[in-house]
Amino acid sequence: MSDTPPTPTKIELRIAALARRTALSEAERSAAAQAIAARGLPFPVRDGGIVAGYSPIRSEIDPIPLMQRLAARGVRLALPAIVARDEPLMFRLWSPSDVLVRGSLGIPEPAPEAPRLIPDILLVPLAAFDRAGHRIGYGAGHYDRTFAQLHAIKPFISVGVAFDTQEIEAIPMQPHDVALDYVVTETRTIDFRSI
């Protein structure tokens, strides 16, 4: 019999990370979002580049302050729309002044008539991340399918947006999982491209 404790599953890791994230106060969440926006992205964004973010739900860190800062510099913004349960995300043009509509899962997204865009940079929500750039999402696989689709279309940069408390030691990986290029938190920018 081994004295080594069993390795936690992705589900167990997700539950624990989400509990830590949910325990943060509203003031801590807001300060973290502002700190990330003040720092900006850890690389230049070309004029007219397209950055796709997300509409924060539950206790996710809010990328909108960062996106507003990017928009002020002339970057085009997009938000995801869920097309179907087992499909990649679609990205539609979005401006901070646009009114959002509730999508099929109740998540705010641009109106259906908003033009579709293919992002150069993808800001990714997550439940947990590790020091190898692996992430745990919410289990539906939308971002895994989206990464695969985007990689087939053009190069892009993936940036996980998270609170420090969402970092975990290691995530058990599956063949379809793709590592992030960066993670930005309220105190750090972690570059995984050379790992």
Side-chain angles (χ1 to χ4, degrees):
M1 189 147 125
S2 172
D3 290 337
T4 306
T7 303
T9 66
K10 273 190 175 180
I11 293 171
E12 293 167 331
L13 292 168
R14 180 184 299 118
I15 290 168
L18 290 177
R20 290 191 306 276
R21 187 179 83 181
T22 300
L24 294 170
S25 71
E26 200 56 46
E28 289 170 315
R29 289 175 206 293
S30 178
Q34 293 302 325
I36 289 171
R39 242 182 19 254
L41 292 174
F43 47 82
V45 181
R46 68 175 172 77
D47 288 346
I50 301 166
V51 175
Y54 58 90
S55 293
I57 58 171
R58 298 184 291 268
S59 59
E60 287 176 342
I61 194 164
D62 188 351
I64 303 302
L66 172 60
M67 295 175 73
Q68 289 170 327
R69 181 175 178 202
L70 293 169
R73 294 181 179 171
V75 171
R76 291 188 294 164
L77 301 177
L79 288 176
I82 296 174
V83 178
R85 183 166 182 81
D86 294 326
E87 294 291 323
L89 298 168
M90 176 193 342
F91 297 94
R92 293 186 181 130
L93 180 66
W94 175 75
S95 167
S97 62
D98 291 350
V99 174
L100 299 175
V101 299
R102 295 272 172 200
S104 60
L105 296 180
I107 299 170
E109 58 187 47
E113 60 272 13
R116 292 177 68 170
L117 298 175
I118 306 295
D120 302 304
I121 298 161
L122 187 56
L123 304 180
V124 184
L126 49 86
F129 69 94
D130 68 14
R131 278 302 178 116
H134 303 128
R135 68 179 278 278
I136 295 178
Y138 303 114
H142 288 295
Y143 278 92
D144 293 325
R145 286 186 288 278
T146 300
F147 286 173
Q149 181 186 60
L150 289 177
H151 279 300
I153 295 171
K154 70 177 189 180
F156 71 97
I157 299 171
S158 60
V159 181
V161 185
F163 298 102
D164 283 326
T165 192
Q166 292 175 259
E167 182 177 353
I168 61 177
E169 187 174 333
I171 293 172
M173 296 305 295
Q174 297 176 359
H176 65 272
D177 290 332
V178 177
L180 296 164
D181 295 309
Y182 296 88
V183 164
V184 293
T185 74
E186 66 268 37
T187 64
R188 299 174 290 158
T189 296
I190 309 167
D191 183 347
F192 301 112
R193 293 168 308 152
S194 61
I195 294 176

